[in-house]
Amino acid sequence: MFAHHARRRRNRALALGALTASAALALTACSGGASGTDEEKVLTIVSVAPPVSLDPYLQNVDPVNIWFIELAYDPLIRVDGAGELVPDLASSWEYIDDEAKQLELTLREDVLFSDGTEMTAEGVAASLSYAISTGVNGAAWLGEGTTAEATADGTVVITSAESNPSLPSLLTQRVLLGSVVNPTALDEPGVLLNGTHGAGPYVLDSESTVADSSYVYEPNEHYWDQDKIQWDRIEIDIVANTAAALQAVQSGQADLFRGDTATGESAISAGLEVEAIPFGLIGMNYIDRNGELAPELADVRVRQALNYAIDRDSIAQAVYGEWGTPGGALALEGTIGFDEETQDAFAYDPEKARELLEEAGYADGFSIDVAYVTSVLSDVTVQAVAANWAEIGVTANLVNFTDAGQAVSEITAKGYPIAYYGYGQLPPTIVARSFFDGGANQYNPWVTEDAELNELLDAASQAADPADAQEFYADAFTRAYSDLAWQGGVVNSAQVFIYDPETITNVRADTNSATPDIAWEIAPAE
Amino acid sequence: MIRLIATRIAVSIPVLFIMTILTFLLASLVPGDAATQILGPDATPERVAQLNAELGLDRPVLEQYLDWLAGIFRGDFGTSLFSGEPVSRLLEQRFWPTFWLATFAALVSAIIGVTFGVVAAVKGGWAARVLDGIGMLGISLPNFWVALLLIVLFAGTLGWLPAVGYTAPEDDFGEFLSRMVLPVTAMSFAGVALIAKQTRESMAEALSRDFMRFLQANGFPRRRLILKYGLRYAAIPVLATISATFVNHIGGTVTLESVFAIPGLGSMVARGTTNHDLANIQGAVLLFTAVILLVNLLTDIVYTLLNPKVRANA
């Protein structure tokens, strides 16, 4: 009995000792970075959120979300780091009509999918049809009634009901609509969610991948250009907190991530490189232009007054610092539809704003609801605008949402006269569809129309010559902003990519490509 | 003892059941839906409604719940709407990181907390006051803030430890330990404070009892007196605190795993909630509940072993 007790006590003491020792070991252990051991070339990227889906067509086109897709799915046409369209799975393309409705793509020969099956014109047409029928953006962006058909050996023709000069841009890895899916995977619903079935340089290693935490890609041995494969492994780890993500890059655990304004500053002082790309259109959307909820908004002078009252320079400087510029209209510099003069319309002039309000019969001001989705930057931006408006007697009742989905449905259901927007750079056709002529959505719940604007947009979409398209889109965006004052743009914000120049090189992107190309361009540093 | 275990297990089953109903209801009340999440901000309301119907999310909550429950009895925990992975695979992948994190944190909290508590009780005076101060700090500082501070200091500035991530112990044990240090430290912060406070109070009470004074008056060595009789006297409330701390730590994994990018159940719940991925939330919460019930059962057993009075009442 006693002996038994004694043994039990000794065992307990031993166990305790072992635990203490391991805890002590844990407390003193230290280690260097994890990537790049045994000269294996590993690219480690940190993303603050996992992909919405691994299915290219159930994926939204957030510039970081697309990383998860572009590694495994080559697009028909690629947009390179300089923003130029270059051949990928399609070796060439051209409109075969005069109205930009029929685009013929000549496919690259001898392309294999990651399972070794051959890419055919029929397969590409099936993939495009899947994008149109099932894709998140397919029908909306390619246009209802758009079809894809394999015409001759190795060519596919996309026919859309409406003119669409942006079609080639929509088929790039930036917008994903041309990311070709192996037709064998289209027959098995579900396989696209937890594996990849494309003709890209890498393929998802499902065994090593932990969904929502860590995504591991290996080289695709069937890829059509093995020279493009620069890494033995690419890992994208999900770190929800940007400050922790920055530390991961700073401590050498990771090579690249998309930061924000706060981490951008810290990264520079920590000796990391920052690639900043103008990308975001941020502002106030005066959606109740008919004055159903807020009669004041029906008067164009009121909307113009609100625009004159916004001190864009100060807000851009104070909130975004180096990572933002004042911006009014719906086109970023360097993209189709940009116009310098329009960008500077409504220079800050509270006196003029007051006069316009007085003319419109609101000398004493009014109060109005403003809906927005809360985030560090949106909170501050919206409050700054509200403070500007208060100076001309307009009281903004800020209604914040923590859930973006809920905000979208309530705004779309005509719940608010003004909504804050943060919109990422996309081809002008799509911007126009979102804000002006794409039916009821969160950017235009009342589907307000303007005959002159519609004419300009029609002309723009039919313009075969890019210079004409630029002119018509610039006129259209000017009409919407300067004349109609449908929106009050505030800031054009930059995306901030932070990387370690000692481990990776060739990190470049342009407003038109938005994201550094991790599949083709980013390479190990010498 | 067997009766105690049997009773506890019998009580646990309805608890698990009620927990699943509550989780399902609460998760359904979170504003927004999975289809909007999948389709993104630009989707039309028609497309959202269509996808919700395709996913079966437009059915009454009760019907969805009963479907899910029927699946559980067949051993089918459902499939994640987003990753397409069976929830059972996700639970298998994610159980161990959370287990190690919560267990190490409980051990570290217990060892350091009890040591601090005993020292404070024995020394009294300023030591007790310093401990109370540290205790208040530990309880009031949010753990994710402590976590970020630790990351910035030990990973960023000093470069001693990895900032984020997890390595399985069977893959690389050294790496596993080094990656556990910061999360375990962040998580133990409040635990140490609570346990130390409880230990100090219980120990102070033990030291003031007549039998202790009697033993001391009889020339019993003080060290042995404190470590053998004092600790044993204080053990039950301290054990209760340690067990409660462990349960707290499981809740803490939800925030800390996200900060440290640990692929555990906590981050699965956090992600599932923002995404409205019901099967993921249900699976993880079910497993959490089962573990908590098990910990409570083990605590009861240890109580019984330590205290004959509890045994007699059981």
Side-chain angles (χ1 to χ4, degrees):
Chain A
M1 184 75 182
F2 281 101
H4 180 71
H5 259 182
R7 192 162 60 240
R8 198 163 68 190
R9 208 158 35 224
R10 195 164 55 237
N11 283 347
R12 221 184 290 156
L14 270 176
L16 198 69
L19 290 170
T20 318
S22 58
L25 186 60
L27 284 165
T28 51
C30 65
S31 105
S35 60
T37 48
D38 301 337
E39 299 194 14
E40 192 190 25
K41 283 181 282 181
V42 181
L43 173 62
T44 307
I45 296 170
V46 174
S47 163
V48 292
V52 173
S53 177
L54 285 176
D55 180 337
Y57 296 110
L58 288 183
Q59 171 69 281
N60 68 46
V61 296
D62 170 88
V64 166
N65 261 330
I66 65 173
W67 270 344
F68 297 88
I69 306 297
E70 72 165 10
L71 287 173
Y73 294 90
D74 260 22
L76 287 163
I77 300 168
R78 202 167 196 94
V79 53
D80 69 11
E84 298 296 325
L85 300 185
V86 296
D88 196 322
L89 294 182
S91 49
S92 64
W93 58 91
E94 61 173 341
Y95 283 100
I96 50 174
D97 65 339
D98 301 332
E99 295 175 296
K101 285 182 178 173
Q102 284 199 299
L103 183 74
E104 185 181 73
L105 299 144
T106 306
L107 301 180
R108 184 176 297 283
E109 288 174 12
D110 304 322
V111 171
L112 301 180
F113 287 109
S114 55
D115 66 352
T117 56
E118 198 182 335
M119 182 182 84
T120 62
E122 286 75 19
V124 172
S127 174
L128 285 164
S129 302
Y130 174 70
I132 296 162
S133 65
T134 311
V136 172
N137 303 311
W141 289 359
L142 291 174
E144 293 285 348
T146 299
T147 56
E149 248 181 298
T151 45
D153 198 21
T155 60
V156 170
V157 172
I158 300 175
T159 308
S160 53
E162 294 166 31
S163 300
N164 191 348
S166 300
L167 251 179
S169 306
L170 300 183
L171 300 178
T172 62
Q173 83 278 13
R174 165 71 188 101
V175 189
L176 297 176
L177 291 174
S179 299
V180 179
V181 175
N182 189 336
T184 56
L186 295 177
D187 301 333
E188 296 175 68
V191 298
L192 291 174
L193 295 179
N194 59 1
T196 58
H197 304 269
Y202 301 88
V203 59
L204 186 81
D205 174 1
S206 300
E207 271 306 299
S208 310
T209 292
V210 179
D212 293 336
S213 278
S214 175
Y215 294 77
V216 181
Y217 293 81
E218 297 174 322
N220 169 13
E221 53 173 343
H222 298 293
Y223 193 56
W224 59 272
D225 184 356
Q226 290 290 324
D227 292 343
K228 291 266 188 316
I229 299 178
Q230 314 200 48
W231 300 95
D232 299 317
R233 192 155 61 90
I234 296 182
E235 195 173 317
I236 310 183
D237 293 323
I238 312 306
V239 179
N241 185 293
T242 49
L246 172 67
Q247 298 303 328
V249 176
Q250 203 178 321
S251 66
Q253 253 191 302
D255 306 304
L256 166 73
F257 90 111
R258 179 177 66 175
D260 49 25
T261 50
T263 42
E265 303 283 343
S266 318
I268 290 176
S269 51
L272 298 170
E273 285 289 329
V274 174
E275 174 82 8
I277 302 142
F279 177 76
L281 300 161
I282 288 165
M284 297 294 193
N285 199 358
Y286 313 133
I287 45 184
D288 184 19
R289 296 148 200 158
N290 300 330
E292 216 171 274
L293 296 177
E296 301 87 357
L297 275 194
D299 193 318
V300 67
R301 290 168 296 185
V302 170
R303 302 195 299 265
Q304 287 170 338
L306 294 178
N307 274 354
Y308 277 117
I310 300 173
D311 185 357
R312 291 172 191 76
D313 291 344
S314 303
I315 296 176
Q317 180 55 40
V319 183
Y320 290 84
E322 257 185 81
W323 321 113
T325 51
L330 288 173
L332 292 160
E333 194 167 355
T335 67
I336 295 174
F338 177 78
D339 185 276
E340 189 84 52
E341 213 174 297
T342 307
Q343 187 76 330
D344 298 335
F346 304 113
Y348 178 53
D349 191 345
E351 201 42 55
K352 189 160 187 177
R354 276 187 218 103
E355 281 167 27
L356 282 164
L357 277 189
E358 201 178 323
E359 274 175 41
Y362 299 104
D364 297 333
F366 56 90
S367 80
I368 195 161
D369 289 347
V370 176
Y372 73 103
V373 179
T374 197
S375 76
V376 177
L377 293 176
S378 68
D379 285 344
V380 190
T381 308
V382 168
Q383 280 164 23
V385 172
N388 282 163
W389 286 348
E391 282 170 30
I392 59 161
V394 174
T395 310
N397 308 315
L398 303 179
V399 182
N400 73 343
F401 288 86
T402 47
D403 185 88
Q406 193 195 2
V408 169
S409 46
E410 291 195 17
I411 293 168
T412 311
K414 306 183 185 176
Y416 296 91
I418 299 182
Y420 165 91
Y421 64 86
Y423 193 91
Q425 156 62 23
L426 283 167
T429 325
I430 297 186
V431 178
R433 284 210 172 127
S434 292
F435 282 86
F436 309 129
D437 62 355
N441 60 23
Q442 62 160 323
Y443 305 108
N444 194 2
W446 277 271
V447 204
T448 31
E449 288 193 44
D450 172 69
E452 191 181 330
L453 176 63
N454 282 351
E455 263 173 48
L456 288 167
L457 288 174
D458 282 346
S461 67
Q462 281 164 30
D465 183 349
D468 290 345
Q470 155 65 25
E471 198 175 310
F472 286 128
Y473 275 118
D475 287 351
F477 291 140
T478 304
R479 169 80 188 151
Y481 180 60
S482 306
D483 300 351
L484 300 168
W486 276 2
Q487 306 84 33
V490 180
V491 182
N492 293 341
S493 65
Q495 292 204 89
V496 182
F497 290 94
I498 295 166
Y499 66 98
D500 184 349
E502 285 177 17
T503 58
I504 59 172
T505 178
N506 206 21
V507 181
R508 57 176 196 147
D510 169 89
T511 299
N512 292 300
S513 56
T515 311
D517 186 348
I518 58 172
W520 272 18
E521 296 198 350
I522 290 182
E526 289 302 315
Chain B
M1 176 66 84
I2 289 170
R3 222 180 76 199
L4 172 96
I5 297 174
T7 323
R8 287 292 157 148
I9 291 176
V11 172
S12 300
I13 291 167
V15 170
L16 273 175
F17 186 70
I18 293 167
M19 202 57 209
T20 62
I21 298 179
L22 276 179
T23 318
F24 212 91
L25 273 179
L26 288 175
S28 320
L29 290 177
V30 176
D33 59 276
T36 313
Q37 208 66 33
I38 293 173
L39 295 174
D42 297 337
T44 59
E46 296 80 43
R47 184 77 180 91
V48 171
Q50 185 198 344
L51 185 61
N52 268 327
E54 279 168 32
L55 297 172
L57 300 175
D58 57 344
R59 297 172 304 153
V61 177
L62 182 69
E63 194 185 320
Q64 293 184 48
Y65 173 72
L66 291 177
D67 256 18
W68 176 82
L69 195 66
I72 294 298
F73 287 113
R74 293 191 307 268
D76 173 11
F77 285 71
T79 305
S80 162
L81 291 177
F82 292 79
S83 67
E85 291 282 354
V87 172
S88 52
R89 177 170 191 236
L90 292 174
L91 294 178
E92 212 178 289
Q93 283 178 322
R94 288 170 171 272
F95 175 76
W96 290 108
T98 302
F99 174 83
W100 291 125
L101 180 58
T103 307
F104 275 137
L107 282 174
V108 170
S109 307
I111 294 167
I112 300 177
V114 169
T115 313
F116 274 15
V118 171
V119 171
V122 174
K123 300 264 184 218
W126 64 268
R129 276 194 294 279
V130 167
L131 194 83
D132 277 349
I134 296 175
M136 284 308 288
L137 213 63
I139 296 163
S140 50
L141 292 179
N143 63 8
F144 67 88
W145 185 80
V146 173
L148 282 175
L149 214 66
L150 291 172
I151 292 177
V152 170
L153 183 63
F154 291 101
T157 310
L158 298 171
W160 290 353
L161 292 160
V164 290
Y166 173 81
T167 303
E170 63 271 24
D171 290 345
D172 184 341
F173 193 69
E175 193 64 34
F176 163 73
L177 287 179
S178 76
R179 287 185 183 214
M180 274 285 143
V181 177
L182 294 183
V184 166
T185 309
M187 190 169 259
S188 312
F189 221 67
V192 167
L194 279 172
I195 293 170
K197 197 165 156 40
Q198 182 62 57
T199 310
R200 180 173 74 80
E201 282 161 13
S202 305
M203 196 63 171
E205 199 203 319
L207 292 177
S208 70
R209 301 300 292 230
D210 288 345
F211 76 90
M212 291 292 272
R213 262 181 270 160
F214 177 77
L215 286 171
Q216 199 169 1
N218 276 297
F220 231 73
R222 188 166 159 80
R223 175 184 292 266
R224 204 165 142 217
L225 192 74
I226 291 165
L227 291 183
K228 188 172 176 190
Y229 298 100
L231 257 189
R232 184 155 201 168
Y233 183 87
I236 289 191
V238 171
L239 202 71
T241 313
I242 293 176
S243 156
T245 306
F246 182 80
V247 171
N248 250 335
H249 284 164
I250 287 185
T253 58
V254 174
T255 41
L256 279 190
E257 284 181 0
S258 298
V259 176
F260 284 105
I262 294 172
L265 296 169
S267 49
M268 180 171 165
V269 172
R271 189 73 205 156
T273 308
T274 39
N275 268 351
H276 308 283
D277 201 342
L278 260 180
N280 274 15
I281 306 175
Q282 287 289 103
V285 171
L286 189 65
L287 193 53
F288 272 153
T289 314
V291 170
I292 290 170
L293 290 172
L294 190 70
V295 170
N296 287 343
L297 176 64
L298 289 176
T299 314
D300 282 348
I301 293 173
V302 179
Y303 274 179
T304 319
L305 292 177
L306 278 175
N307 188 347
K309 272 195 277 180
V310 177
R311 194 157 49 210
N313 292 339

